[in-house]
C-alpha cells in the first residue's frame, strides 16, 4: 500500500505545524514566567549550564564518575527549587514544558522509524478530502446501511444481504489483488452508499482511493486533452489510472461519444493491465451495457469484474422497479 504524495505532504505539514506551535507556546510561557520572576529566569540559566556540564562530565568520566553525579545532584536541587517557585506562583510544575498534541511521537509523525498513528490519521483525513467523496464519507457507512428497505421481498432481502456481506469483506480484506466489482441496479438501491462505505474502510487502512462520477472523469480527460493539445495523461488525470482503488460512479449517465468510449476503454483496460482494482456503479443491465458501450468494453466489465446486484424498492422514492437486463447476470 502507499499514500498519494500530495496527501502525505498535506498531512506532514499539519503534524509539523503542531510541533512548531507546541514549541512556540512553550517559549511564550517561559518568557512570561521570566517576566514575572527574575529568580525563575536565573534558575533556568543555571539549569542550562548544568545540562552542558552533564554532557561534558559524561564524555570525560562516564555516568558513574563523581563529577557527573555531583552535577546530577545540582540539577535535581535546581528542579525542586523551580517546582516550588512555580507552585508559589500558582503555576503547574510543567508550565513551560513542551506539550505536544501527540506525546507518543512528539509531533514528528514517527516513533523511531515507524509511522505514528497521528500521522496515519491525518493521511486518512487528507485522503477523504482528496477522494472526491466529501461529506458522503461521514453519512454513508456500513453501519447505517439498512436492509429494512428490502424486507418486503424475501428473495430481494437475501440477495442484498449477500451483496452487503461481499462488499464488507472486500473492504475489510482489500489488497491490490482484490479484483474489481461491478455494482448493478437501478437508481436509489444503495450502490453509491456501499461504494462510499468501501472507500472509507479502504482509505482508513492506508490505501489510495479516487472516487468520481463517470461524467466528471471523462470531462477531466477531455478538458486536459484540449488544454495540453495532446492525448498523453496529465497529473490531473493520471490519478484515475494509478489510484490503488478507483470508484467510478454513475456509469451510464454520461454523454456517449467516440471520445468518452475511448476514455472508458483506456481506463478499464489500463487498470486491468496494471492489476489495479476498480469498482464501477451503473444502473444499466447487460443488454443496455452492450448496446451503449459495445462488445469490447462490455466483455471486460462482465468478464473481469465481479457483478453485485442491487434489487428491491427505491430507498429514496420507495418505487418498486426491476432493472431491465439484470436477470441473466443474476443467474
Amino acid at each position: 500500500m502507499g499514500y498519494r504524495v500530495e496527501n502525505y505532504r498535506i498531512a506532514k505539514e499539519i503534524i509539523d505545524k503542531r510541533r512548531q506551535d507546541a514549541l512556540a507556546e512553550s517559549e511564550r510561557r517561559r518568557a512570561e514566567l521570566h517576566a514575572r520572576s527574575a529568580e525563575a529566569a536565573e534558575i533556568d540559566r543555571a539549569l542550562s549550564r548544568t545540562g552542558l556540564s552533564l554532557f561534558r562530565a559524561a564524555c570525560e568520566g562516564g555516568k558513574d564518575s563523581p563529577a557527573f553525579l555531583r552535577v546530577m545532584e545540582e540539577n535535581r536541587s535546581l528542579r525542586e527549587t523551580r517546582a516550588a517557585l512555580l507552585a508559589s506562583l500558582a503555576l503547574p510544575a510543567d508550565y513551560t514544558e513542551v506539550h505536544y498534541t501527540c506525546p507518543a511521537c512528539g509531533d514528528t509523525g514517527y516513533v523511531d522509524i515507524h509511522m505514528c498513528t497521528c500521522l496515519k490519521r491525518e493521511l486518512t483525513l487528507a485522503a477523504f478530502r482528496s477522494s472526491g467523496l466529501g461529506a458522503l464519507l461521514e453519512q454513508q457507512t456500513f453501519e447505517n446501511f439498512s436492509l429494512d428497505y428490502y424486507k418486503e421481498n424475501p428473495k430481494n432481502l437475501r440477495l442484498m444481504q449477500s451483496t452487503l456481506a461481499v462488499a464488507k469483506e472486500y473492504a475489510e480484506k482489500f489488497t491490490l489483488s482484490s479484483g474489481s466489482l461491478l455494482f448493478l441496479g437501478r437508481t436509489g438501491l444503495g450502490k453509491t452508499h456501499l461504494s462510499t462505505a468501501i472507500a472509507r474502510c479502504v482509505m482508513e487502512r492506508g490505501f489510495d482511493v479516487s472516487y468520481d462520477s463517470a461524467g466528471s472523469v471523462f470531462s477531466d480527460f477531455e478538458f486536459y486533452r484540449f488544454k495540453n493539445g495532446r492525448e498523453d495523461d496529465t497529473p490531473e488525470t493520471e490519478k484515475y489510472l494509478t489510484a490503488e482503488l478507483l470508484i467510478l460512479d454513475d456509469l451510464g449517465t454520461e454523454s456517449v461519444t467516440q471520445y468518452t468510449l475511448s476514455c472508458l476503454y483506456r481506463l478499464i483496460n489500463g487498470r486491468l493491465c496494471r492489476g489495479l482494482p476498480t469498482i464501477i456503479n451503473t444502473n444499466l443491465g447487460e443488454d443496455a451495457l452492450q448496446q451503449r458501450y459495445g462488445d469490447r468494453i462490455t466483455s471486460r466489465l462482465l468478464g473481469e469484474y465481479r457483478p453485485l446486484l442491487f434489487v428491491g424498492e427505491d430507498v429514496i422514492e420507495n418505487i418498486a422497479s426491476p432493472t431491465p437486463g439484470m436477470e441473466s447476470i443474476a443467474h
Side-chain angles (χ1 to χ4, degrees), residues 29 41 54 107 110 121 173 214 239-240 274-275 279 290 324-325:
R29 292 188 177 193
L54 279 172
D107 291 342
Y110 289 86
R121 173 64 178 167
K173 298 182 179 180
K239 64 182 180 181
Y240 300 127
R274 286 180 167 92
I279 297 175
Q290 180 77 35

Side-chain angles (χ1 to χ4, degrees), residues 182 213-215 218 248-254 264 268 280-284 289 292-293 297 301:
L182 181 63
S213 68
F218 300 146
L248 193 65
D249 202 14
D250 286 335
L251 183 68
T253 60
E254 78 287 348
L264 179 58
I268 292 172
I280 294 180
N281 302 337
T282 181
N283 58 6
L284 302 178
L289 285 170
R292 188 177 181 88
Y293 300 115
I297 291 174
L301 288 177

Side-chain angles (χ1 to χ4, degrees), residues 27-270:
E27 286 304 310
R28 185 195 68 78
R29 292 188 177 193
R30 185 179 297 276
E32 177 192 277
L33 174 64
H34 292 177
R36 288 180 62 182
S37 170
E39 184 182 356
E42 179 53 39
I43 290 173
D44 282 344
R45 284 193 289 271
L47 281 169
S48 179
R49 289 194 297 270
T50 61
L52 292 173
S53 297
L54 279 172
F55 177 75
R56 188 161 46 248
C59 291
E60 292 175 356
K63 292 185 178 181
D64 294 325
S65 67
F68 183 87
L69 296 175
R70 184 175 60 254
V71 179
M72 278 289 293
E73 178 58 27
E74 181 185 354
N75 184 276
R76 183 192 62 78
S77 178
L78 285 168
R79 290 188 180 279
E80 288 180 353
T81 302
R82 189 181 194 274
L85 176 59
L86 287 172
S88 72
L89 297 172
L91 296 174
D94 65 347
Y95 183 68
T96 61
E97 297 298 318
V98 182
H99 298 286
Y100 295 112
T101 302
C102 179
C105 70
D107 291 342
T108 63
Y110 289 86
V111 179
D112 297 325
I113 62 171
H114 302 291
M115 187 180 292
C116 185
T117 54
C118 69
L119 179 54
K120 289 180 181 179
R121 173 64 178 167
E122 289 304 325
L123 282 164
T124 298
L125 292 174
F128 284 1
R129 291 187 289 267
S130 68
S131 67
L133 284 166
L136 288 179
L137 284 163
E138 300 298 329
Q139 300 166 0
Q140 299 182 339
T141 66
F142 286 122
E143 289 71 26
N144 63 19
F145 184 83
S146 176
L147 291 168
D148 292 344
Y149 299 105
Y150 314 100
K151 286 183 177 178
E152 295 299 320
N153 185 315
K155 181 179 178 181
N156 287 348
L157 177 60
R158 287 193 298 272
L159 184 56
M160 290 307 300
Q161 286 172 330
S162 174
T163 293
L164 175 59
V166 170
K168 288 183 70 174
E169 183 178 22
Y170 182 89
E172 291 166 357
K173 298 182 179 180
F174 180 85
T175 69
L176 296 185
S177 59
S178 288
S180 298
L181 302 177
L182 181 63
F183 287 1
L184 301 128
R186 60 159 292 157
T187 300
L189 295 179
K191 298 188 301 297
T192 297
H193 190 134
L194 280 192
S195 57
T196 302
I198 289 174
R200 181 187 182 94
C201 184
V202 169
M203 282 189 286
E204 285 177 341
R205 296 181 54 229
F207 291 95
D208 175 33
V209 177
S210 184
Y211 189 125
D212 215 330
S213 68
S216 294
V217 171
F218 300 146
S219 291
D220 278 354
F221 275 110
E222 190 164 17
F223 175 80
Y224 289 107
R225 171 201 181 197
F226 285 107
K227 179 181 178 181
N228 296 300
R230 53 190 174 84
E231 292 283 351
D232 296 342
D233 296 312
T234 67
E236 292 83 3
T237 57
E238 183 69 15
K239 64 182 180 181
Y240 300 127
L241 292 164
T242 59
E244 291 174 319
L245 175 63
L246 171 68
I247 302 179
L248 193 65
D249 202 14
D250 286 335
L251 183 68
T253 60
E254 78 287 348
S255 298
V256 174
T257 66
Q258 284 303 312
Y259 183 72
T260 59
L261 288 174
S262 172
C263 284
L264 179 58
Y265 177 79
R266 186 153 57 98
L267 195 60
I268 292 172
N269 198 58

